[in-house]
Amino acid sequence: MAQGSGDQRAVGIADPEESSPNMIVYCKIEDIITKMQDDKTGGVPIRTVKSFLSKIPSVVTGTDIVQWLMKNLSIEDPVEAIHLGSLIAAQGYIFPISDHVLTMKDDGTFYRFQAPYFWPSNCWEPENTDYAIYLCKRTMQNKARLELADYEAENLARLQRAFARKWEFIFMQAEAQVKIDRKKDKTERKILDSQERAFWDVHRPVPGCVNTTEMDIRKCRRLKNPQKVKKSVYGVTEESQSQSPVHIPSQPIRKTTKDDIRKQITFLNAQIDRHCLKMSKVAESLIAYTEQYVEYDPFITPAEPSNPWISDDITLWDIEMSKEPSQQRVKRWGFSFDEILKDQVGRDQFLRFLESEFSSENLRFWLAVQDLKKQPLQDVAKRVEEIWQEFLAPGAPSAINLDSHSYEITSQNVKDGGRYTFEDAQEHIYKLMKSDSYARFLRSNAYQDLLLAKKKGKSLAGKRLTGLMQSS
């Protein structure tokens, strides 16, 4: 390989028992990657690029990769080649050196090949402690390219709270790793940092990106076989935390014991007793959902006055944005609690109802927490304190009713506030409003009058239109 960092690491050997459709796919991808890096058979040119005051080692361009895929895999459409490249990148075999989003672009974007040590076929299943060590390492290295992104900073704060008791150990492991890395050549260290970052971009991706490891069949099999030994990125396991954080090969799988068999039997018995839905019930639910929303689907029911997606008339959009909701919109609020929350006018009507019941603080708290998640990182701590003082602090002017468990968790979270500090409290309030206030709102005179008024208004408008047509 062009990058030397991967050769110095131990490459794990996949367990033969782990053979699965996923493993076959990995083997096919790795065969492509190996050929792509082979200079003797016309692989992709891997080169060092000169940048301002520095050099970028062992990179290829997105255009080079797309052209190679089209030439060597007999692909005629560039879009298909880009799609295939993105699928390979999503698994972490190729990654952009300046972005956390693992996609393929047909341009001059620089990419690098992942070291075999981090390939998915090695059955990686990293723990949160590994991720915590990695993020700690990043904070110790004073480099602009290694600064934590907003979501990584939030993850680090969350992990620090979760592992408060053994954070000192995690910090020591990170320090030891940094010392080892500093002894390496500068170019090698730069490549190693990017490969490690790409590994975590696969297993802890940017919010909004697809996590290709969530539905891994091999991971499901491990849950059914708890006796299998899990590997750690840094060679550190929960049972042997005194080890030095250096890269070591995975340990051999131990023999099955009687306790392991008993655990398997217990697991299988639990699966037998697990409640399962009948296919007929699932089909009925889907049919009911489809029938309920059929009049809101412009592909099935013609939109009134016209469909703006196939005409130049945008009246429908104006109606949807209006503060005077149509009868269709008012009716839709009764489908589910989420429907009324995502409609601005519906939220306003629901808030008025809660004010009449002297419980508007619940919805205002829920909306404040939703807004908190969209705040810039530098404003989050201040906004967390404001929400706490208004809704949860002793003597708060708009105190909400929380159970003791949620309140205790929230109180701990506020000490190191983040965008998701009030997640437990928000969920509790959401369930409270959904099961209590929302049901009363649908039965209230305010909602019924609004629904009937819109029906009446619609019928009068129809009569006027009919009368005009007859007179003409």
Side-chain angles (χ1 to χ4, degrees), residues 64-258:
D64 290 337
I65 295 174
V66 172
Q67 292 299 323
W68 189 93
L69 291 172
M70 293 179 67
K71 178 181 177 181
N72 292 270
L73 301 182
S74 301
I75 299 174
E76 297 180 358
D77 188 356
V79 176
E80 184 179 348
I82 294 171
H83 175 65
L84 176 60
S86 294
L87 292 177
I88 295 173
Q91 302 294 335
Y93 289 96
I94 307 171
F95 59 90
I97 65 170
S98 59
D99 196 353
H100 287 275
V101 182
L102 301 176
T103 56
M104 179 60 60
K105 298 177 183 178
D106 187 9
D107 56 20
T109 302
F110 290 130
Y111 291 83
R112 189 169 283 146
F113 290 102
Q114 182 60 283
Y117 180 78
F118 287 127
W119 283 358
S121 59
N122 292 327
C123 301
W124 283 111
E125 190 177 342
E127 302 288 344
N128 281 333
T129 50
D130 299 323
Y131 189 42
I133 292 172
Y134 163 71
L135 293 177
C136 275
K137 283 172 55 179
R138 291 269 298 277
T139 61
M140 296 175 188
Q141 296 166 322
N142 188 20
K143 301 283 186 181
R145 61 188 171 84
L146 295 173
E147 288 181 0
L148 295 180
D150 285 353
Y151 79 96
E152 290 176 318
E154 291 177 9
N155 288 341
L156 178 60
R158 193 176 297 115
L159 289 168
Q160 192 167 1
R161 290 195 299 270
F163 298 119
R165 293 183 179 179
K166 56 180 179 180
W167 191 254
E168 184 178 355
F169 163 76
I170 290 173
F171 191 82
M172 289 170 56
Q173 296 286 352
E175 275 189 325
Q177 273 293 304
V178 170
K179 290 179 182 178
I180 293 173
D181 290 341
R182 283 174 180 166
K183 295 177 182 178
K184 295 176 182 176
D185 177 71
K186 183 179 179 181
T187 301
E188 182 184 0
R189 190 165 68 245
K190 186 182 292 187
I191 296 173
L192 177 64
D193 289 338
S194 68
Q195 290 171 337
E196 194 172 17
R197 187 208 71 188
F199 172 81
W200 288 112
D201 286 341
V202 173
H203 293 272
R204 300 293 188 275
V206 178
C209 291
V210 176
N211 188 337
T212 58
T213 65
E214 283 183 346
M215 298 302 293
D216 192 339
I217 192 171
R218 294 172 296 110
K219 185 179 291 186
C220 297
R221 290 191 72 245
R222 285 194 191 89
L223 295 177
K224 299 178 183 180
N225 295 277
Q227 75 275 11
K228 295 208 170 185
V229 176
K230 295 181 179 180
K231 290 199 299 183
S232 166
V233 180
Y234 305 107
V236 183
T237 60
E238 294 294 327
E239 294 77 19
S240 57
Q241 293 184 344
S242 60
Q243 296 180 6
S244 175
V246 295
H247 295 293
I248 60 173
S250 60
Q251 299 297 321
I253 298 174
R254 59 185 176 83
K255 293 182 179 180
T256 304
T257 64
K258 290 183 179 179

Side-chain angles (χ1 to χ4, degrees), residues 20 27 29 38 49-50 68 71 78 124 208 219 256-257 262 303 308 323 328 395 416 423 425 432 445 448:
S20 66
C27 291
I29 293 176
D38 190 352
V49 180
K50 291 184 179 180
W68 189 93
K71 178 181 177 181
W124 283 111
K219 185 179 291 186
T256 304
T257 64
R262 290 192 188 98
K323 293 185 178 181
Q328 250 193 342
D416 186 12
E423 196 76 5
L432 184 66
N445 292 332
Q448 295 298 328

Side-chain angles (χ1 to χ4, degrees), residues 381-425:
K382 178 183 176 183
R383 188 65 184 128
V384 165
E385 183 61 24
E386 290 174 353
I387 294 175
W388 171 261
Q389 292 298 333
E390 183 178 359
F391 296 102
L392 290 163
S398 301
I400 58 174
N401 185 18
L402 278 186
D403 63 286
S404 58
H405 179 68
S406 298
Y407 187 83
E408 184 179 350
I409 293 175
T410 306
S411 302
Q412 293 296 323
N413 291 345
V414 169
K415 295 177 182 178
D416 186 12
R419 288 196 179 100
Y420 302 95
T421 296
F422 302 101
E423 196 76 5
D424 290 277

Side-chain angles (χ1 to χ4, degrees), residues 293-304 307-310 316:
Y293 282 90
V294 66
E295 62 179 302
Y296 297 90
D297 190 338
F299 286 104
I300 301 175
T301 304
E304 295 181 0
N307 189 339
W309 295 105
I310 58 176
L316 179 65

